Amino acid sequence: MQRKDGGARLRHILPIPSSPERIAIVDRSYSPTSPLSAAPSPVARASARAALSGGEWQQLLGGAPLNPDELSALNRMAHLLRLPAGAPVFGREQPALDLVAVLKGTVSLGQCREGQDFDLERSVQGPAWLDLSSAWLGQCHDRDARCLSEARVLALPLAEMRALLARQAAMPERLLLGLARSVHRLNSATHELMHMDAEKRLAAWLLRRGEGGGQGGALLQLTERKRDIAAQLAITPETLSRMLRQLRLKGLIEGQGYALRLTDTQALARLAGE
Amino acid sequence: MQRKDGGARLRHILPIPSSPERIAIVDRSYSPTSPLSAAPSPVARASARAALSGGEWQQLLGGAPLNPDELSALNRMAHLLRLPAGAPVFGREQPALDLVAVLKGTVSLGQCREGQDFDLERSVQGPAWLDLSSAWLGQCHDRDARCLSEARVLALPLAEMRALLARQAAMPERLLLGLARSVHRLNSATHELMHMDAEKRLAAWLLRRGEGGGQGGALLQLTERKRDIAAQLAITPETLSRMLRQLRLKGLIEGQGYALRLTDTQALARLAGE
DNA sequence: CGCGCTCTTGAATTCGATCAACTATGGTGG
DNA sequence: CCACCATAGTTGATCGAATTCAAGAGCGCG
């Protein structure tokens, strides 16, 4: 069958994370010698206090332009971390003392199951907040987080953030906005899981991913393993494979392996259900 | 079969919302003469400015005790609404100008599907925030909201809330806390939908609901229709019925109809998966 | 009384998971 | 260089969970 090998053959041509990094994800899991997993608050401990550019802060915090005092205070409190692919960021048994964000790269949230793979639930692509909520509740992070790719991760100690919050009038709203966005995203996620079948969810996912594409049909480079995509869609890799084949047969998408084109975005949107 | 009628016979004995209210939910849906559905921002418009007690505000906002200035400002801006069962609170096409909370009663979030029932997604029992996130994003409410029971609903105009937020140092954290709790709840919801089957979700739901119960086995009065419970669990009423029978046969629960007892909460917890 | 509603039960069906091949690729070590 | 192995992905066969469809019972109401 000629389709069978097409996907895999294209694989190593694409500018996606090469295999060594991926293998590292497995190799480093639950490794007792991992430099971060032993520390009580790894993010804050092993970090360097490198300054961020104003633009990076603005991307993350949004709202009104940041003033010099805010910038210097943020840079003073920030703990910046450069992590290799597969490195743990925080664990779900760990008290959340920081607001955590991803600046660059992709970090996945899920659970480490004993003996098995990492059980991915959703993934966050920088720049974006990774866990803005747990710290306020004085709880533990509710998920394990680990890098899917090399990543720059940022931690803001809650105590110091509180001080800045009181001093700078514009800061509260920036954080409220970030949390509101999280709520919005999670709302759509639960909605999709409750009311849409696997095919609809995949169609919606493809449309979200392919947004940058031109009019002739959005190009779409998959940057993660298909099994990770499947995990986010709450389906098995086998089902994802079959669904993609179905969509290909129906003429809604083209391409093989990790390079796709959405040839009929309107039909996809219709399939996803308005 | 002797089990068949047991549930329904007990029905009218229980102190649950009587049928007229329930029928009202259906009767009033999409009624063009409903007093609220026509107004552009119904919550804010048809409301009375009755003052709330300090305790009620505290329950909702949490955090440090509210000072007199905060209380008076809140009471000044608050729009209070007393709604009958079945009344719409807001629609998902409606710009969100207020932070909305339920003080008393139960309000459901979901979607009105044309011609059919209200498609319930989750329900909020007062006192709790109903939609604390949409207004910050300048978007529409992402769901339709309508009263499941008679309810007291509260709307705080965002513009005025912003002013209070700037003036009172403790207010930002109260709202951040509320949003963080929403994120937490939604996180568990997606987790359950992704990883737990119907039986597990039901067991978890029963345990959450039965918490008040004594040691001999938590008593549990269902206050909503079973089809609404099923909707929240993302299963069909038929499946819920079968699951309850299964649990009864396994000896994990007792009782029929709307009055249940969790006879083996430990086994339920085990079934729900640690 | 019939009508409309809710809940329950059974049978048939469907969607997606599981299990088991098989292919392709890359890395390792002889 | 090649054999060997691990991993990712695809495909097919089968199984199972939950939906859908259909029917019936109990209850309240006009």
Side-chain angles (χ1 to χ4, degrees):
Chain A
M1 207 171 272
Q2 79 285 17
R3 206 184 306 104
K4 193 181 289 182
D5 43 343
R9 193 188 298 143
L10 265 177
R11 178 103 166 61
H12 68 285
I13 303 176
L14 302 177
I16 57 174
S18 57
S19 284
E21 289 177 338
R22 294 195 167 152
I23 289 173
I25 294 175
V26 178
D27 286 347
R28 300 183 68 125
S29 64
Y30 273 12
S31 155
T33 59
S34 173
L36 295 168
S37 61
S41 181
V43 173
R45 225 182 59 99
S47 62
R49 292 181 178 256
L52 267 64
S53 77
E56 284 178 303
W57 285 114
Q58 195 73 56
Q59 269 184 310
L60 193 64
L61 290 163
L66 288 150
N67 65 43
D69 176 50
E70 288 176 314
L71 278 175
S72 77
L74 286 168
N75 276 322
R76 231 176 307 130
M77 80 174 77
H79 293 250
L80 191 57
L81 219 57
R82 203 176 285 276
L83 295 172
V89 180
F90 53 71
R92 74 179 177 287
E93 308 298 354
Q94 220 165 54
L97 304 172
D98 306 292
L99 310 179
V100 187
V102 189
L103 289 174
K104 205 164 61 80
T106 307
V107 176
S108 60
L109 289 162
Q111 278 182 226
C112 290
R113 289 171 306 170
E114 61 296 0
Q116 302 190 38
D117 269 8
F118 186 75
D119 179 7
L120 192 150
E121 222 161 80
R122 64 198 167 90
S123 74
V124 176
Q125 193 146 14
W129 288 107
L130 186 60
D131 186 352
L132 185 51
S133 63
S134 301
W136 298 104
L137 299 171
Q139 292 180 344
C140 291
H141 296 285
D142 39 10
R143 297 284 171 271
D144 294 322
R146 64 175 44 196
C147 301
L148 261 184
S149 66
E150 192 187 13
R152 283 171 64 211
V153 170
L154 181 72
L156 302 172
L158 178 64
E160 303 177 40
M161 199 57 184
R162 274 207 178 97
L164 182 59
L165 215 55
R167 199 169 68 237
Q168 286 289 343
M171 283 308 290
E173 182 143 353
R174 301 186 209 279
L175 296 184
L176 286 167
L177 213 62
L179 277 167
R181 266 193 278 266
S182 298
V183 170
H184 190 69
R185 245 194 312 277
L186 287 166
N187 255 330
S188 345
T190 48
H191 179 75
E192 287 193 2
L193 286 169
M194 289 182 91
H195 299 299
M196 292 162 63
D197 63 11
E199 195 180 37
K200 280 179 196 247
R201 295 203 300 273
L202 173 56
W205 188 92
L206 288 169
L207 286 170
R208 273 197 303 268
R209 262 308 181 85
E211 255 166 29
Q215 56 281 60
L219 282 173
L220 184 41
Q221 288 280 355
L222 305 184
T223 56
E224 55 225 303
R225 297 183 303 179
K226 290 192 176 171
R227 62 175 46 189
D228 290 329
I229 298 171
Q232 289 179 66
L233 293 169
I235 58 180
T236 58
E238 292 96 325
T239 302
L240 175 59
S241 183
R242 283 184 257 268
M243 296 288 170
L244 285 171
R245 178 158 46 118
Q246 292 302 321
L247 293 180
R248 222 175 272 128
L249 290 176
K250 290 187 203 167
L252 302 193
I253 65 174
E254 267 178 12
Q256 286 153 352
Y258 287 82
L260 301 178
R261 179 155 73 227
L262 314 184
T263 48
D264 191 347
T265 52
Q266 297 178 17
L268 273 174
R270 219 175 312 121
L271 199 160
E274 94 257 60
Chain B
M1 209 169 272
Q2 79 288 12
R3 206 184 304 102
K4 194 181 289 183
D5 44 341
R9 192 187 301 143
L10 265 177
R11 179 105 166 58
H12 68 287
I13 304 175
L14 303 177
I16 57 173
S18 57
S19 285
E21 290 180 337
R22 293 196 166 153
I23 289 172
I25 295 175
V26 178
D27 286 347
R28 301 183 68 126
S29 64
Y30 275 11
S31 155
T33 60
S34 173
L36 295 167
S37 62
S41 183
V43 173
R45 225 180 59 99
S47 62
R49 292 178 180 258
L52 268 64
S53 76
E56 285 178 302
W57 284 116
Q58 196 72 55
Q59 269 185 310
L60 193 64
L61 290 163
L66 289 150
N67 66 44
D69 175 49
E70 287 175 315
L71 278 175
S72 76
L74 285 168
N75 276 323
R76 232 176 305 131
M77 79 174 77
H79 293 250
L80 191 57
L81 219 56
R82 205 176 283 275
L83 295 172
V89 180
F90 53 71
R92 75 177 177 287
E93 307 299 356
Q94 219 165 55
L97 304 172
D98 306 291
L99 311 179
V100 187
V102 189
L103 288 174
K104 204 164 64 75
T106 307
V107 176
S108 61
L109 289 161
Q111 278 181 226
C112 291
R113 289 170 307 168
E114 59 299 355
Q116 301 189 38
D117 270 8
F118 185 76
D119 180 9
L120 192 151
E121 220 160 82
R122 64 201 167 89
S123 76
V124 176
Q125 194 146 13
W129 289 108
L130 186 60
D131 186 353
L132 185 51
S133 63
S134 301
W136 299 104
L137 300 171
Q139 293 179 345
C140 292
H141 297 285
D142 40 10
R143 297 282 170 272
D144 294 320
R146 64 176 44 196
C147 301
L148 261 184
S149 68
E150 191 187 14
R152 283 170 65 212
V153 170
L154 180 72
L156 302 172
L158 179 65
E160 302 176 42
M161 199 58 186
R162 274 208 177 97
L164 182 59
L165 215 58
R167 199 170 69 238
Q168 286 290 342
M171 283 308 291
E173 182 142 354
R174 301 187 208 277
L175 297 184
L176 286 166
L177 213 62
L179 276 166
R181 266 193 279 266
S182 298
V183 170
H184 191 68
R185 245 193 312 276
L186 287 166
N187 255 330
S188 345
T190 49
H191 180 75
E192 286 193 2
L193 287 169
M194 289 183 90
H195 299 300
M196 290 161 65
D197 62 12
E199 196 180 38
K200 280 180 198 248
R201 294 202 299 274
L202 174 56
W205 187 91
L206 289 170
L207 286 170
R208 274 196 302 267
R209 262 304 181 89
E211 257 166 28
Q215 56 281 60
L219 282 173
L220 184 40
Q221 288 281 355
L222 305 184
T223 57
E224 56 224 304
R225 298 182 302 180
K226 290 193 177 170
R227 62 174 46 191
D228 290 330
I229 298 171
Q232 289 178 66
L233 293 169
I235 59 180
T236 58
E238 292 96 325
T239 303
L240 174 60
S241 183
R242 284 184 255 267
M243 297 286 170
L244 284 172
R245 179 160 44 120
Q246 292 302 321
L247 293 181
R248 220 175 275 127
L249 290 176
K250 290 187 204 167
L252 302 193
I253 65 174
E254 265 177 12
Q256 285 152 354
Y258 287 81
L260 301 178
R261 179 156 73 229
L262 313 184
T263 48
D264 191 347
T265 52
Q266 297 178 19
L268 273 175
R270 220 175 313 121
L271 199 160
E274 94 256 61

